[in-house]
């Protein structure tokens, strides 16, 4: 039965047409579509307003490739890490991050990653495949359920900062977001969704052209080409000049300011020259800087910079009128923090 089709790969229109071709009513397509997305049904059997005969017919033609939370780990700080098993037994991870007022889901977009950022644990896994829109959607649904169960409130925010590079799985990520924000799906506001990218200029421009409403974060880590290429080799293909141009385009089109994610490492990007380059880069398009604490992934090639170096960043940025926030790590005790997702559980 390996060649049964994933029914959620069909659009609503295609599903309606399928039923018409079967001699049924197009409306049946709407009903099934609602089960598949809004109600997150994991089997045809549970679709109680659909006749047994129709359910059997669906069963014979399609699969529902829902994810399964295979293992859930809870951190002392309330963070939850899920090892998520896909229909073909590959595994990705997703994380629930609670704060006083919100719950954020950190979701994966690919199995592994094709980029080779030297400081990231996921980079050590080969990119196996892209996630489908329904597999991204299911991670969000699973975390929404956990948020209701463990924190008594629905999920409030989503960040695409799990495994993978979302802009290298562009179409599926955009389709997933469409369903997450649609009233036929989860009805979440796009303003509560952030797509985080290492910076693929062509795709940033494409998103801008498509008038997307979600937020953009760029993992910058350095505004000096040689430094950035040394830690994110991918920068040699997409140098800062191209990234800058794409980001200016993004802002001109969307009027949505950009967040730069930035880790300061000892001896790598902790000098005044590094700070000055960042300040200059931040002036190209309205932006803010999110300084992220480094989560060690190995034997110490990379080390979090001193507090003095961090403070130099903060004061210089602020002096130049650039908003800066500092993000403390969450869920470190269960390897759930940024850059630690490596299917280790
Ligand atoms: N590929 C996307 C999304 C996944 S990475 C991107 O690059 O943005 C999510 C964030 O975690 C990025 O900002 C990344 O630079 C950061 N990160 C990776 N490894 C890290 C580590 N060991 N410590 C802290 N942040 C890390």
């Amino acid at each position: 039965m390996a060649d049964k089709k994933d029914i959620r790969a069909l659009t609503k229109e295609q599903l309606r047409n399928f039923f018409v071709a079967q001699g049924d009513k197009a409306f049946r397509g709407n009903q099934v579509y609602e089960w598949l997305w809004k109600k997150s049904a994991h089997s045809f059997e549970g679709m109680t307003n659909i006749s047994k005969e129709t359910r059997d017919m669906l069963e014979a033609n399609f699969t529902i490739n829902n994810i399964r939370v295979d293992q859930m780990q809870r951190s002392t700080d309330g963070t939850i890490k899920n090892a998520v098993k896909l229909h073909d037994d590959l595994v990705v991870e997703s994380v629930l991050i609670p704060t006083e007022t919100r719950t954020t889901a950190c979701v994966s977009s690919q199995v592994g990653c094709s980029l080779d950022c030297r400081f990231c644990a996921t980079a050590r896994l080969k990119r196996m495949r892209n996630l489908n829109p329904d597999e991204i959607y299911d991670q969000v649904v699973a975390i929404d359920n956990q948020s209701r169960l463990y924190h008594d409130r629905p999920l409030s925010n989503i960040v695409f900062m799990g495994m993978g590079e979302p802009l290298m799985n562009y179409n599926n990520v955009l389709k997933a977001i469409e369903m997450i924000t649609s009233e036929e799906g989860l009805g979440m506001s796009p303003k509560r969704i952030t797509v985080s990218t290492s910076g693929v200029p062509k795709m940033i421009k494409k998103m801008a052209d498509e008038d997307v409403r979600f937020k953009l974060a760029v993992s910058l880590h350095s505004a000096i080409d040689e430094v950035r290429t040394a830690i994110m080799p991918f920068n040699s293909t997409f140098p800062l000049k191209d990234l800058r141009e794409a980001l200016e385009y993004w802002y001109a089109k969307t009027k949505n300011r950009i967040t730069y994610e930035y880790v300061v490492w000892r001896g790598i990007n902790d000098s005044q020259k590094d700070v000055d380059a960042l300040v200059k880069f931040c002036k190209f398009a309205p932006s803010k800087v999110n300084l992220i604490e480094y989560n060690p992934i190995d034997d110490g090639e990379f080390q979090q910079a001193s507090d003095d170096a961090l403070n130099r960043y903060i004061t210089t940025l602020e002096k130049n009128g650039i908003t800066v926030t500092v993000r403390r790590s969450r869920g470190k005790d269960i390897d759930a923090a940024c850059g630690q997702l490596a299917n280790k559980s």
Side-chain angles (χ1 to χ4, degrees), residues 119-120 161-162 164-165 196-198 219 221 261 293-295 338-339:
F119 47 82
C120 179
M161 295 187 191
E165 169 48 49
S196 175
T197 176
S198 292
S219 303
H221 303 309
E261 290 159 278
E293 193 185 330
Y294 176 55
N295 303 306
C338 268

Side-chain angles (χ1 to χ4, degrees), residues 161-197:
M161 295 187 191
M163 293 175 163
E165 169 48 49
L167 298 194
M168 297 212 166
N169 183 17
Y170 183 87
N171 289 338
N172 291 351
V173 166
L174 260 76
K175 268 189 219 151
I177 294 177
E178 202 178 300
M179 284 316 296
I180 292 164
T181 53
S182 159
E183 281 311 320
E184 296 191 318
L186 301 177
M188 277 182 75
S189 163
K191 293 198 193 92
R192 293 177 171 276
I193 301 176
T194 301
V195 169
S196 175
T197 176

Side-chain angles (χ1 to χ4, degrees), residues 218 220 222-223 240-241 243-244 247 260 276-285 287:
V218 174
L220 194 60
S222 174
L240 287 165
K241 156 174 84 48
L243 180 59
R244 166 195 169 170
L247 293 171
Y260 296 126
D276 294 341
L278 176 60
V279 168
K280 190 171 164 210
F281 197 87
C282 284
K283 292 187 173 165
F284 295 142
S287 50

Side-chain angles (χ1 to χ4, degrees), residues 165-312:
E165 169 48 49
L167 298 194
M168 297 212 166
N169 183 17
Y170 183 87
N171 289 338
N172 291 351
V173 166
L174 260 76
K175 268 189 219 151
I177 294 177
E178 202 178 300
M179 284 316 296
I180 292 164
T181 53
S182 159
E183 281 311 320
E184 296 191 318
L186 301 177
M188 277 182 75
S189 163
K191 293 198 193 92
R192 293 177 171 276
I193 301 176
T194 301
V195 169
S196 175
T197 176
S198 292
V200 189
K202 203 171 80 190
M203 290 300 152
I204 292 173
K205 284 189 177 168
K206 189 165 163 158
M207 277 193 308
D209 282 336
E210 291 182 9
D211 227 359
V212 298
R213 295 269 165 255
F214 49 78
K215 293 187 178 154
L216 177 65
V218 174
S219 303
L220 194 60
H221 303 309
S222 174
I224 300 173
D225 269 314
E226 306 88 81
V227 178
R228 195 167 192 260
T229 299
I231 55 178
M232 303 170 79
F234 145 108
N235 185 70
S236 61
T237 320
F238 304 112
L240 287 165
K241 156 174 84 48
D242 297 355
L243 180 59
R244 166 195 169 170
E245 196 212 326
L247 293 171
E248 286 170 342
Y249 188 82
W250 161 271
Y251 186 79
K253 283 250 162 176
T254 65
K255 293 285 175 280
N256 223 325
R257 93 174 155 165
I258 302 141
T259 299
Y260 296 126
E261 290 159 278
Y262 204 101
V263 178
V264 187
W265 289 284
R266 189 183 302 258
I268 291 177
N269 58 355
D270 59 352
S271 75
Q272 188 64 45
K273 193 169 153 228
D274 297 291
V275 184
D276 294 341
L278 176 60
V279 168
K280 190 171 164 210
F281 197 87
C282 284
K283 292 187 173 165
F284 295 142
S287 50
K288 63 173 182 173
V289 174
N290 192 357
L291 292 175
I292 314 176
E293 193 185 330
Y294 176 55
N295 303 306
I297 56 163
D298 56 17
D299 37 17
E301 189 196 342
F302 287 91
Q303 281 168 18
Q304 171 76 43
S306 66
D307 284 348
D308 280 354
L310 216 61
N311 286 332
R312 177 156 56 185

